Amino acid sequence: IHPSFKLTQSIATQLLSGRTYLSYEVVWLKSKMHHLGVRVSTTLPCSVSPLGGVLWADPCLAMNQVSLTYTRGDHSIAIPIILSVSDKVSRALQVFGAPLALYGIGRMLVQPVLKMNKMKEVRRIRADMAEEVSAARNRCKQEMVALYASINKRRAHEAGADGLVITSATYGVLQPTSSVPTTTTATEDATTDTTAPVAAPSHVDYPVLDITDALQNLVHEGTLELAAGSKTHLPGIVDVDPGTGEKKRIHIAYTHQGLSHVVEYSEDAPISLPQEAHQTPV
């Protein structure tokens, strides 16, 4: 929803020349192909000798520089601007650190504004898609009602053979990177209209869908194999919150041969159950 920023830092030293290079860059990820950035760097006329002590370069001058950078795909352009040249290392470090301090302060001030704007945008998208989501959710429930007897029969067969029984499964934003309040704070079951409080705190701000029956319906001869890609085309699975920019995940708890297993997948990852690696400690 919002363009993101990242901060990179680097340090390099040339032992023989007695020079050390420090730099950091703030990059605005405008899009996947276009990045804009500001790089601040300083060259110090000293380095640590591998034999011990400090090597000083001649002339003993420290230089501060700022560069405006633009990256498009694999190509980049940098426009360097020299800020200062000084014979005092302490002064060069002060000039080097000042923009970083300003960036930190600015980020603290801007972050709440960006978060508020994101909340407004998510609410707007959710409102625009409310009818579409409601229709998809109702279709999902009808599918599960129609398959109710078949799912119970399949579950009973797997349980009797110590096979694969899905005890719980949820789909949605399970690991949010930000908090965006919503009008519902419950887990929605595909087969009923009732809601139940979500135990995990990370689910509080996002609606998640109970897909336990939907996954049990896809179990065949003690295994569940789903190809990579979206799972929302499968019976009983629908995206209940398409307006958010957060990544969605699928959390599954199941039993196999009487043992408990837990696993979590990204929504587009292939799913393969059972696996010994999913087994929970006894």
Side-chain angles (χ1 to χ4, degrees):
I1 295 176
H2 295 290
S4 56
F5 295 84
K6 73 173 183 178
L7 175 66
T8 60
Q9 305 172 67
S10 66
I11 181 171
T13 182
Q14 294 183 350
L15 300 179
L16 297 180
S17 67
R19 293 190 180 279
T20 299
Y21 303 91
L22 307 174
S23 71
Y24 57 84
E25 182 176 11
V26 178
V27 180
W28 176 28
L29 307 178
K30 187 176 181 182
S31 68
K32 290 184 178 180
M33 290 291 294
H34 299 271
H35 300 170
L36 298 174
V38 178
R39 183 189 306 128
V40 179
S41 60
T42 186
T43 302
L44 302 178
C46 59
S47 65
V48 178
S49 169
L51 301 178
V54 178
L55 296 177
W56 291 90
D58 187 22
C60 187
L61 295 175
M63 182 178 69
N64 292 99
Q65 178 177 288
V66 62
S67 300
L68 306 179
T69 64
Y70 171 70
T71 301
R72 180 177 181 180
D74 297 329
H75 304 280
S76 61
I77 299 174
I79 303 175
I81 304 171
I82 296 177
L83 295 178
S84 67
V85 177
S86 174
D87 58 356
K88 293 184 178 181
V89 173
S90 60
R91 183 175 299 173
L93 291 175
Q94 289 174 358
V95 175
F96 177 74
L100 185 61
L102 291 175
Y103 168 78
I105 295 172
R107 187 175 177 84
M108 290 175 59
L109 297 175
V110 171
Q111 199 71 15
V113 177
L114 293 178
K115 184 177 179 180
M116 186 178 299
N117 289 340
K118 179 177 180 179
M119 291 168 64
K120 291 179 180 178
E121 183 67 9
V122 169
R123 288 194 184 103
R124 183 191 65 78
I125 295 174
R126 282 174 173 166
D128 291 344
M129 303 188 70
E131 286 190 20
E132 180 181 340
V133 171
S134 179
R137 187 182 294 136
N138 288 334
R139 183 178 66 252
C140 175
K141 291 176 181 178
Q142 292 170 5
E143 290 171 346
M144 289 296 93
V145 169
L147 293 170
Y148 182 76
S150 174
I151 294 171
N152 282 345
K153 183 178 179 180
R154 193 180 297 263
R155 179 178 287 114
H157 171 75
E158 291 293 334
D162 266 348
L164 178 59
V165 177
I166 309 297
T167 55
S168 70
T170 52
Y171 168 58
V173 180
L174 308 181
Q175 299 176 5
T177 58
S178 62
S179 177
V180 181
T182 179
T183 55
T184 176
T185 57
T187 302
E188 302 196 18
D189 191 324
T191 60
T192 67
D193 291 326
T194 61
T195 58
V198 178
S202 61
H203 300 176
V204 171
D205 296 322
Y206 293 88
V208 295
L209 182 70
D210 186 331
I211 58 172
T212 305
D213 288 346
L215 294 188
Q216 188 68 60
N217 180 56
L218 300 171
V219 173
H220 179 69
E221 296 299 328
T223 62
L224 175 62
E225 300 289 340
L226 299 180
S230 174
K231 311 299 185 289
T232 55
H233 66 285
L234 299 172
I237 302 179
V238 63
D239 189 348
V240 294
D241 194 17
T244 179
E246 298 280 353
K247 294 182 179 180
K248 299 179 179 68
R249 300 183 66 81
I250 298 174
H251 183 277
I252 307 171
Y254 64 95
T255 60
H256 181 253
Q257 295 182 348
L259 300 175
S260 298
H261 298 68
V262 175
V263 65
E264 192 169 291
Y265 292 95
S266 62
E267 62 178 334
D268 294 328
I271 294 177
S272 179
L273 306 178
Q275 291 187 38
E276 187 176 348
H278 303 162
Q279 186 175 329
T280 58
V282 179

